Amino acid sequence: MSDKIVVVDDEKEIADLVAVYLQNENYTVHKFYSGKEALEFIDANEIDLAILDIMLPDIGGLKLCQHIREKHTYPIIMLTAKDDEIDKINGLSLGADDYITKPFRPLEMVARVKAQLRRYKRYNGSQTADMDESVIIHSGLVMNVKTHECMLNEKPLTLTPTEFDILRILLEHKGEVVSAEELFRNIWQDEYYSKGNNTITVHVRHLREKMNDTVDNPKYIRTIWGVGYKIEG
């Protein structure tokens, strides 16, 4: 069964183009030109990934993203016409996993979709080959790398694949400082990273909120300013 992808963009040419390239990769694409129509479909159907334009005339992509994250952990990729860091940060803060700035190369878009779906399937245990079967335990935190389950003080932590990967990498390097650049490249397998890239910062903030951790008095994730992040061994 092919993966189901929702594409939402009020620019019909872009939505149609995205749909064609994804269908050529044998994905099942559900295409919408308005947020309202997409919302109704999202609430009534099982989906594997969503591509959301930020600027929509009715229900914006950020609201759609927030709505999805209240119930689901599947990957969300945001589309933005602005090369504006604030749009990207807002999307990531609401739980998006990646963003693409228009105009974009269709093949790059397809590559990002494939990368997100690979990570999501690993996260949900549907791809178990070569997975580390160890369980990581640290100060009330129990992470099963094989099943991609995480418990904090015996209560389940609902994490997106990105949040899970960040926490996993930090736990696997307990006692060591891991730079934002290293986290970025390990998670996205992408060479693009700049000092102004706030992607990791936003996801770490989101992760801290879910763990009731703080920057000033961290129990788990400590920020080493100008260097990276660290979980004490």
Side-chain angles (χ1 to χ4, degrees):
M1 183 180 293
S2 64
D3 293 313
K4 299 183 183 73
I5 299 177
V6 165
V7 176
V8 190
D9 199 314
D10 61 319
E11 295 184 69
K12 293 186 177 182
E13 297 82 1
I14 293 178
D16 292 348
L17 179 68
V18 170
V20 167
Y21 272 84
L22 292 175
Q23 287 165 347
N24 285 342
E25 297 292 328
N26 297 317
Y27 294 118
T28 299
V29 180
H30 301 277
K31 180 178 56 180
F32 300 94
Y33 304 128
S34 77
K36 184 178 180 181
E37 290 179 337
L39 182 61
E40 292 174 357
F41 182 86
I42 287 166
D43 282 342
N45 294 273
E46 292 186 5
I47 299 164
D48 296 293
L49 183 142
I51 300 176
L52 311 175
D53 184 33
I54 285 183
M55 301 297 290
L56 294 169
D58 48 4
I59 302 174
L62 294 177
K63 287 188 176 180
L64 282 176
C65 177
Q66 186 175 25
H67 180 81
I68 291 171
R69 278 292 170 258
E70 289 172 357
K71 300 178 181 178
H72 306 287
T73 59
Y74 57 75
I76 299 173
I77 298 176
M78 306 300 299
L79 296 178
T80 173
K82 306 172 185 175
D83 191 10
D84 189 343
E85 197 71 16
I86 193 66
D87 276 341
K88 299 169 185 176
I89 292 172
N90 285 339
L92 293 168
S93 296
L94 294 172
D97 297 281
D98 202 357
Y99 55 81
I100 301 174
T101 303
K102 301 177 186 176
F104 56 85
R105 299 184 185 92
L107 291 179
E108 178 186 350
M109 178 272 300
V110 170
R112 293 194 183 207
V113 166
K114 288 181 177 181
Q116 289 298 332
L117 285 171
R118 277 197 304 269
R119 291 175 53 235
Y120 181 58
K121 289 175 182 179
R122 287 204 312 269
Y123 179 82
N124 283 279
S126 54
Q127 292 179 353
T128 56
D130 301 322
M131 287 298 295
D132 185 350
E133 297 186 4
S134 65
V135 174
I136 304 172
I137 301 173
H138 173 75
S139 188
L141 190 64
V142 179
M143 172 177 281
N144 189 317
V145 178
K146 180 181 178 182
T147 63
H148 281 253
E149 294 174 318
C150 195
M151 306 280 287
L152 180 60
N153 297 324
E154 300 185 356
K155 294 181 180 179
L157 268 181
T158 304
L159 305 177
T160 67
T162 301
E163 292 161 358
F164 187 94
D165 281 345
I166 289 173
L167 187 57
R168 173 185 58 78
I169 293 168
L170 292 176
L171 285 170
E172 288 174 347
H173 293 81
K174 272 192 297 186
E176 304 173 18
V177 180
V178 183
S179 70
E181 179 178 3
E182 187 177 347
L183 285 168
F184 185 94
R185 290 179 175 168
N186 269 279
I187 292 169
W188 281 279
Q189 302 298 312
D190 191 342
E191 287 302 310
Y192 169 71
Y193 182 84
S194 69
K195 292 290 185 183
N197 191 319
N198 289 306
T199 304
I200 294 296
T201 304
V202 174
H203 283 295
V204 168
R205 186 173 73 228
H206 220 54
L207 185 55
R208 279 183 172 134
E209 289 171 359
K210 291 184 177 183
M211 298 173 69
N212 292 317
D213 210 6
T214 64
V215 177
D216 297 331
N217 188 26
K219 184 176 180 181
Y220 298 101
I221 303 174
R222 174 171 297 178
T223 299
I224 309 299
W225 298 107
V227 184
Y229 302 96
K230 177 182 181 181
I231 289 180
E232 298 290 351

